[in-house]
Amino acid sequence: MTSELLTRLRFLISSKRRSELDEEIEFHLEQAITTRIAAGMDPAEARRQALIEFGGIESARGQCEQQRPGWWIGTVMQDVHYAFRGFGRNPLFTFSVLITLALGIGATTAVFSVVDRILFRPLPYADPGRIVSLGFVHSLERQEFVMGRFYVEWEKDQTPFSALAAQSTMVHNCDLVENDPEQLGCISFQASFLPLFGISPALGRNFLPEEDRPNEPPVVMISYGLWKGHYNGDPHILDRMINVDGNPARIVGVLPKDFQFPTLEAADIVTPFVLDATIQQKVNGGFGDPERVFARLRSGVSLEQAYAQMQPLFNGDLKWFPPFAKNETHLSIRTLRDREMQEARPVAWILFGFVLAVLLIACANVAGLMMARGAGRQRELAVRSAIGASRGRLIRQALTEALVLSFAGGLAGLAIAQALVMVFVRLAPTGIPFVGKAHLDLRIAVFAALVSCLCGVIFGLAAALQKPGLAALNARASMSRNHAFLRRSLVTAQIAISIILLSGAALLLRSFTKIEEQNLGLQTAGVLTVKVALPWWRYNTNQKVMDFYLRLESSLRRLPGTRAVGMTDSIPPGGWESDFRYSDLAVQGKPRGVPGIGGTVVGRSVTPDYFRALNILIVRGRNFTDEDRTGDENEVILSRLLAERLFPGEEPIGKRFLPDSVRGRGAIVVGLADNVKNSGLTEPNDPEMYTLRRSVSGDWDGNHLMVIVDSAMLVAAIEPWVRSEVASIDRTVPIEMEPLNQSLNRLADRPRFETTLLGFFALTGLLLAVVGLYGLVAFMTTQRAQEIGVRMALGATRANILHLIAKDGLRIVLVGLGVGLGTAVAVSRMLKTLLFQVTTYDPLTYIAVPLLLSLVALVAILIPARAGTRVEPAITLRAE
Amino acid sequence: MPQSTDLLQGTLDLLILQTLALEPMHGWGVAQRIQQLSQDVLQIGQGSLYPALYRLEYKGWIRSEWQITENNRRAKYYRLTQTGKKQLATELASWDRLSLAIASVLGRATEASS
């Protein structure tokens, strides 16, 4: 066997010289002739007979050549060379195909890279499909949470899950106290947490179950980043004592490098989540601490079954709830993927759909171009077939051409994909998980290669399977009826699809402009927001917090150019806000609202300058004054919306809330402020109530405090001043500053991202469809050159000819428009969740889009049609 | 001249190997020998002889070298290799099986040995 292999290899390397075979055949013929002459034949006849007996010398030679192992490689090279020569002769065709393929493949690959993690890639946990997030959801908190009291019961009594683990509700600031305090993110989870996700620590061990109990010696796990960064990857990190918020704790483990919290939060230090049944029944009004709960479904238990099995437990818990909260609280169990991706999935699917549509258009384009080329080459193919090329050889040749093209297109596509991904990452809003980390990876490159090969094979075959009929040899190249119909349908489909894409993008664009143009009710220019995170273990009383902020306020007021310094616990229009229920408001002399009805009210605790800094108009009554801050009265200002609901047709100023009503106090309404966008950019406004943050320590609880500085100076100029003012009070507290403009701009990031992306793909689709239309009309025009020549010779004017050609193209466009518009109206309903103040039947969109497309299509038709009219009848007729 | 029969697919290789098993020979000789031995019934297309020889050589079953014939003429002689001998044995065995099978299908099993 090896010897056979060696022989094969030898022949592969050194092909037999042709002359050897010639000599051999020559010898053979010589012998045949000699034998015949010896038998008495005359030499000429002997030679003739011998040659007849031998058969075709040339074909024998060819066959001998084909016996050589690896012979086909040579023909492939031949085919490739031939293909390149063909491309060189036809640069326009080659360029169109390449561009189409590159755009199609590039866009697909890039978008696939982005949506992959959101839609397809398994989460980085063991058997992630069976992990769920469960708990209560409430109108004020849409992410599942469980109160500690109920959780300890669930742990005991639940049936559908094989494991259950709790984590604290959010990452909180904590200080790593060493020489220089450093502020980090801390979180806690139970000992059962990591095993549930199938994660083991990179170093050390997980928490022990007994460490989840109170009064155990404190231990912590640290993140891989903290270990590598802060501790320089110290291999002896385990058992080291560190000081977190003033408490010593022992490091027992390091989390793995790519560990990702199921809430997608980032934390540096993890402490055990201490859950004690008796404690949980006492704290927080007997409900216990809120927490996030994750669980692993038992095998064979579906999400629905789990929901049904948890329902009785949940119903039991509901008994503890105050009556008004019962209606608002529900049980929710959803897969971890749904929990992590939140609302990103519909966007991802739409994006994916858009890109598939673009790929479809691109494919149709390439198919059309290949078909046109095939039709134009019928004569050539017929000639090659007549001089002995086998059918298989012709198909192979066509396949080679197509593969070379798709390979080149694929390479260009990868380059485009890389560029696009970079653009995506730059544009990526924070709301869509993972986009910021998207990059081209190997699997996706393979995906692109597959798409490109598939394109090549399909189109190559489409071109090759056109049987080169003998008729093609003497007739002019002509497109058969079937192909003409197929190509027309392809172009019609392209136009229809691009209408759908354009309508979708136009709807989003309309919605985006509405978002940008809406009146927010506040000024944002020249306003700086300052967030100071006071370490709670040092600022452990309200008094200390208040002192800090009052000192900061007065020092910022002294800065040159400062117009107003306001303090508040939140800033519209988005982000965290201290909401409460409308039904909790009780007005003196009025019946109480019905619990559970009326939705939520935004509460904001502000200083008088808040309205001045944000330029929010007081439409009635008066603003808070500095005197109010030291007085005994609790003043509130209502938003117009709230006033209209609470006091329809009455004078709101001077109305009183009952003593237990507003944050446990009574209060008097002193003013009415204009409505401000306060539920994000796209949601309808909530009613809003401003309470005065007085200079009394009781008003300074809570850790969400922000300082707003309105200055006549440039924002960039005052930032360093603010920083040094903060440092002069306490140089260790971290500080975050951002112009309000910028944070507002970030809120619009997501619609901007969606609009840009979909718009880009819609335009790409339009471009490709127009290239397809142009190609078709140009092709038809050349096909009909002779007919045109005859018509012109018979007296047709140029206008007649133009009309003749354009009519054909326009019919295609009109059919495409009709089909596309119908589908677009039906399909655009999927965009509904993304639209703001625009209906899916937006008339402007459905007028503008067809107009735009018709205009572009008209150009694409007229250019080749005009070229057709410049045909010289004398030349085309003589060309025959 | 008796009517010549088309060669069954694949039997040409067998015939060539069998012929070369007797002695090394050039292409012309192989053609003549097959014709003689079959009493002119099997007439191989001489054009297809050479591709077959090349194929067998590429497979390593035969080997070629240039020699001088008895009339002092340079010619390429083919000889069976070791693998070629083994291959011949297997092909002969399968040929026997095949012809026996065909004979029995035709109901002439008794005469098959002749």
Side-chain angles (χ1 to χ4, degrees):
Chain A
M1 258 303 77
T2 35
S3 74
E4 186 180 331
L5 195 72
L6 281 177
T7 336
R8 275 168 182 254
L9 270 178
R10 187 156 55 84
F11 288 121
L12 191 62
I13 294 158
S14 64
S15 69
K16 289 201 149 205
R17 272 169 302 137
R18 199 174 168 163
S19 59
E20 253 185 47
L21 178 64
D22 286 343
E23 195 178 338
E24 216 177 337
I25 292 174
E26 200 179 302
F27 171 77
H28 184 108
L29 290 174
E30 221 175 272
Q31 294 294 318
I33 294 167
T34 327
T35 325
R36 283 188 168 78
I37 293 178
M41 214 175 270
D42 97 281
E45 179 62 14
R47 185 176 170 74
R48 205 179 68 88
Q49 293 259 339
L51 281 174
I52 291 174
E53 194 185 30
F54 191 86
I57 293 179
E58 200 46 50
S59 91
R61 208 181 259 148
Q63 279 172 23
C64 283
E65 178 67 17
Q66 285 178 25
Q67 300 306 323
R68 198 159 68 82
W71 163 81
W72 56 272
I73 294 177
T75 68
V76 168
M77 288 317 290
Q78 237 179 353
D79 284 348
V80 170
H81 275 147
Y82 188 82
F84 273 115
R85 285 217 308 274
F87 298 152
R89 272 200 304 273
N90 228 331
L92 196 67
F93 160 81
T94 315
F95 184 71
S96 326
V97 174
L98 277 184
I99 274 289
T100 309
L101 275 177
L103 276 179
I105 293 171
T108 321
T109 310
V111 167
F112 192 82
S113 308
V114 172
V115 300
D116 176 42
R117 304 236 355 213
I118 302 175
L119 296 181
F120 308 116
R121 187 179 303 201
L123 302 172
Y125 313 114
D127 195 9
R130 307 207 59 79
I131 305 179
V132 297
S133 160
L134 75 153
F136 308 140
V137 285
H138 187 273
S139 53
L140 296 182
E141 173 57 35
R142 308 211 166 270
Q143 310 300 331
E144 294 82 4
F145 66 96
V146 183
M147 307 308 293
R149 174 198 192 109
F150 306 128
Y151 178 69
V152 286
E153 285 164 16
W154 287 14
E155 263 185 322
K156 274 204 319 274
D157 301 334
Q158 62 87 15
T159 46
F161 308 109
S162 59
L164 217 61
Q167 162 201 312
S168 56
T169 43
M170 57 162 72
V171 173
H172 64 271
N173 293 335
C174 56
D175 272 12
L176 182 62
V177 188
E178 286 172 344
N179 302 331
D180 251 339
E182 187 174 349
Q183 193 161 52
L184 300 172
C186 280
I187 201 166
S188 33
F189 54 57
Q190 285 186 302
S192 55
F193 189 84
L194 286 183
L196 184 138
F197 290 96
I199 304 281
S200 30
L203 208 65
R205 61 166 174 86
N206 184 17
F207 297 137
L208 304 173
E210 57 264 29
E211 285 165 348
D212 284 350
R213 298 206 195 101
N215 306 322
E216 284 290 317
V219 291
V220 294
M221 293 178 77
I222 61 172
S223 73
Y224 193 87
L226 187 68
W227 177 48
K228 279 289 178 198
H230 189 88
Y231 295 110
N232 294 319
D234 180 2
H236 308 297
I237 189 75
L238 294 179
D239 290 331
R240 182 193 284 217
M241 296 301 289
I242 60 172
N243 187 328
V244 182
D245 285 346
N247 302 314
R250 190 163 56 89
I251 297 179
V252 294
V254 177
L255 290 171
K257 186 176 180 186
D258 25 8
F259 175 67
Q260 173 187 304
F261 279 92
T263 46
L264 299 183
E265 292 166 304
D268 309 289
I269 293 182
V270 188
T271 52
F273 193 58
V274 177
L275 262 182
D276 182 82
T278 45
I279 298 177
Q280 291 302 322
Q281 282 166 10
K282 283 183 209 132
V283 297
N284 200 6
F287 283 96
D289 299 317
E291 62 215 29
R292 306 278 179 215
V293 174
F294 300 93
R296 183 174 283 279
L297 289 169
R298 256 181 228 291
S299 63
V301 177
S302 72
L303 212 56
E304 292 73 28
Q305 288 166 336
Y307 191 87
Q309 292 178 28
M310 288 306 290
Q311 194 71 48
L313 277 175
F314 171 74
N315 288 341
D317 298 340
L318 265 191
K319 287 199 296 268
W320 297 88
F321 278 61
F324 61 83
K326 280 185 187 171
N327 301 332
E328 292 179 40
T329 315
H330 305 280
L331 175 65
S332 161
I333 303 179
R334 53 180 173 163
T335 63
L336 190 57
R337 188 184 285 275
D338 280 347
R339 165 76 165 82
E340 284 199 359
M341 303 313 168
Q342 303 284 344
E343 313 89 48
R345 293 189 83 188
V347 182
W349 277 119
I350 288 168
L351 195 56
F352 197 52
F354 256 61
V355 159
L356 284 188
V358 169
L359 188 66
L360 217 62
I361 294 182
C363 282
N365 234 5
V366 174
L369 283 163
M370 287 285 201
M371 254 185 241
R373 181 167 160 82
R377 286 171 67 184
Q378 271 182 1
R379 197 186 155 91
E380 176 199 332
L381 289 181
V383 169
R384 292 185 64 197
S385 156
I387 58 175
S390 68
R391 191 80 194 284
R393 186 68 209 274
L394 288 184
I395 289 180
R396 202 164 54 210
Q397 157 71 35
L399 265 184
T400 312
E401 254 178 41
L403 279 176
V404 167
L405 269 184
S406 2
F407 185 69
L411 276 188
L414 276 187
I416 291 184
Q418 178 63 48
L420 279 180
V421 166
M422 273 151 65
V423 173
F424 292 169
V425 170
R426 271 196 78 95
L427 288 178
T430 42
I432 301 185
F434 300 127
V435 176
K437 287 189 219 146
H439 55 91
L440 281 191
D441 69 12
L442 195 67
R443 295 165 343 114
I444 288 157
V446 169
F447 173 79
L450 276 184
V451 172
S452 103
C453 282
L454 201 70
C455 285
V457 168
I458 292 171
F459 307 142
L461 281 183
L465 288 179
Q466 310 188 37
K467 196 174 164 127
L470 270 182
L473 262 184
N474 37 32
R476 284 180 57 84
S478 68
M479 190 156 72
S480 74
R481 224 162 244 291
N482 272 343
H483 285 132
F485 180 71
L486 192 57
R487 274 204 79 188
R488 276 158 196 269
S489 322
L490 280 179
V491 174
T492 313
Q494 283 180 323
I495 288 176
I497 296 176
S498 59
I499 281 276
I500 300 171
L501 296 187
L502 279 175
S503 321
L507 283 175
L508 278 182
L509 187 66
R510 292 259 298 143
S511 145
F512 181 63
T513 47
K514 290 227 162 146
I515 292 175
E516 292 276 87
E517 282 167 4
Q518 68 182 325
N519 179 18
L520 295 175
L522 53 89
Q523 82 151 357
T524 58
V527 176
L528 182 70
T529 61
V530 184
K531 255 190 259 184
V532 182
L534 293 180
W536 59 269
W537 61 280
R538 277 196 287 131
Y539 290 83
N540 50 3
T541 63
N542 289 351
Q543 184 68 43
K544 288 184 187 167
V545 174
M546 182 180 84
D547 288 347
F548 175 87
Y549 280 105
L550 291 183
R551 275 183 69 186
L552 183 61
E553 181 187 31
S554 63
S555 61
L556 291 181
R557 276 192 171 154
R558 283 196 302 270
L559 287 179
T562 304
R563 284 191 289 244
V565 177
M567 283 183 287
T568 172
D569 53 354
S570 60
I571 294 182
W576 182 88
E577 282 164 340
S578 148
D579 296 350
F580 60 93
R581 293 182 195 82
Y582 178 79
S583 53
D584 286 352
L585 286 174
V587 183
Q588 205 170 42
K590 284 193 164 219
R592 275 190 178 257
V594 184
I597 293 181
T600 57
V601 178
V602 173
R604 238 183 273 281
S605 159
V606 301
T607 58
D609 262 6
Y610 173 84
F611 298 95
R612 225 163 288 140
L614 295 183
N615 204 10
I616 297 170
L617 209 62
I618 302 292
V619 290
R620 207 175 167 80
R622 63 172 177 89
N623 187 2
F624 303 130
T625 60
D626 276 344
E627 289 72 54
D628 295 340
R629 296 175 79 179
T630 48
D632 292 332
E633 185 67 273
N634 281 311
E635 283 90 359
V636 295
I637 292 178
L638 309 183
S639 78
R640 231 173 42 204
L641 191 61
L642 182 60
E644 280 158 12
R645 279 180 65 183
L646 276 173
F647 311 107
E650 297 172 53
E651 171 59 58
I653 309 295
K655 285 276 188 316
R656 277 195 171 274
F657 290 98
L658 291 181
D660 61 343
S661 181
V662 180
R663 302 189 171 184
R665 307 192 295 247
I668 182 166
V669 179
V670 295
L672 240 61
D674 211 354
N675 289 331
V676 169
K677 203 82 192 148
N678 60 7
S679 302
L681 290 179
T682 54
E683 297 297 311
N685 286 342
D686 277 332
E688 181 158 351
M689 171 182 275
Y690 303 92
T691 49
L692 175 64
R693 184 178 284 268
R694 294 174 305 156
S695 305
V696 182
S697 66
D699 282 9
W700 293 83
D701 54 353
N703 47 1
H704 285 91
L705 278 182
M706 267 174 275
V707 183
I708 316 168
V709 183
D710 177 23
S711 169
M713 313 282 286
L714 282 178
V715 169
I718 60 170
E719 275 186 2
W721 296 345
V722 173
R723 199 175 287 283
S724 71
E725 289 302 328
V726 172
S728 73
I729 302 173
D730 183 340
R731 69 176 180 85
T732 62
V733 297
I735 169 170
E736 252 177 70
M737 279 181 285
E738 192 176 31
L740 187 55
N741 270 343
Q742 207 167 310
S743 46
L744 264 178
N745 210 20
R746 233 189 7 245
L747 279 179
D749 266 357
R750 179 141 174 192
R752 184 180 303 117
F753 180 67
E754 292 157 3
T755 311
T756 317
L757 241 57
L758 298 192
F760 170 77
F761 289 119
L763 288 182
T764 310
L766 177 67
L767 178 75
L768 292 180
V770 163
V771 167
L773 180 66
Y774 172 88
L776 180 71
V777 176
F779 179 72
M780 289 192 311
T781 312
T782 34
Q783 293 275 291
R784 295 171 76 173
Q786 191 201 3
E787 179 199 333
I788 294 168
V790 173
R791 281 175 188 267
M792 289 181 89
L794 293 179
T797 60
R798 273 168 203 254
N800 291 145
I801 302 296
L802 195 66
H803 178 74
L804 180 78
I805 301 173
K807 200 177 66 188
D808 237 16
L810 281 178
R811 197 177 301 139
I812 293 177
V813 175
L814 282 182
V815 175
L817 271 181
V819 175
L821 271 181
T823 325
V825 172
V827 173
S828 58
R829 242 174 307 156
M830 295 195 312
L831 289 175
K832 204 165 184 172
T833 52
L834 301 184
L835 294 183
F836 171 69
Q837 290 185 0
V838 177
T839 68
T840 53
Y841 303 109
D842 184 51
L844 188 64
T845 299
Y846 292 111
I847 293 170
V849 164
L851 268 181
L852 170 71
L853 190 121
S854 316
L855 212 70
V856 181
L858 204 64
V859 176
I861 291 171
L862 284 184
I863 294 175
R866 271 180 58 85
T869 61
R870 279 194 284 274
V871 158
E872 278 304 326
I875 295 175
T876 45
L877 290 179
R878 216 170 285 145
E880 201 46 28
Chain B
M1 202 174 176
Q3 185 119 44
S4 62
T5 316
D6 275 347
L7 278 177
L8 222 61
Q9 189 77 36
T11 42
L12 181 58
D13 288 5
L14 177 60
L15 290 178
I16 294 173
L17 290 178
Q18 175 68 39
T19 314
L20 289 179
L22 306 176
E23 54 174 330
M25 213 174 281
H26 43 64
W28 163 252
V30 174
Q32 289 307 103
R33 181 60 63 83
I34 293 176
Q35 222 162 321
Q36 274 167 25
L37 287 183
S38 69
Q39 286 119 33
D40 284 346
V41 176
L42 296 179
Q43 203 162 17
I44 54 174
Q46 294 171 354
S48 58
L49 177 67
Y50 285 92
L53 282 170
Y54 272 65
R55 184 168 58 245
L56 294 178
E57 189 176 2
Y58 286 127
K59 282 184 179 166
W61 295 346
I62 59 178
R63 198 181 316 145
S64 69
E65 57 194 346
W66 290 93
Q67 282 179 4
I68 307 298
T69 64
E70 51 263 40
N71 342 346
N72 233 357
R73 182 80 172 70
R74 222 167 84 94
K76 201 159 149 196
Y77 278 75
Y78 294 90
R79 73 167 69 240
L80 217 54
T81 61
Q82 249 355 80
T83 25
K85 279 184 187 142
K86 274 183 231 151
Q87 184 64 26
L88 177 59
T90 32
E91 293 218 352
L92 276 176
S94 69
W95 171 257
D96 283 346
R97 265 203 318 281
L98 179 70
S99 50
L100 196 65
I102 293 177
S104 53
V105 168
L106 298 178
R108 312 176 66 163
T110 45
E111 299 159 42
S113 52
S114 63

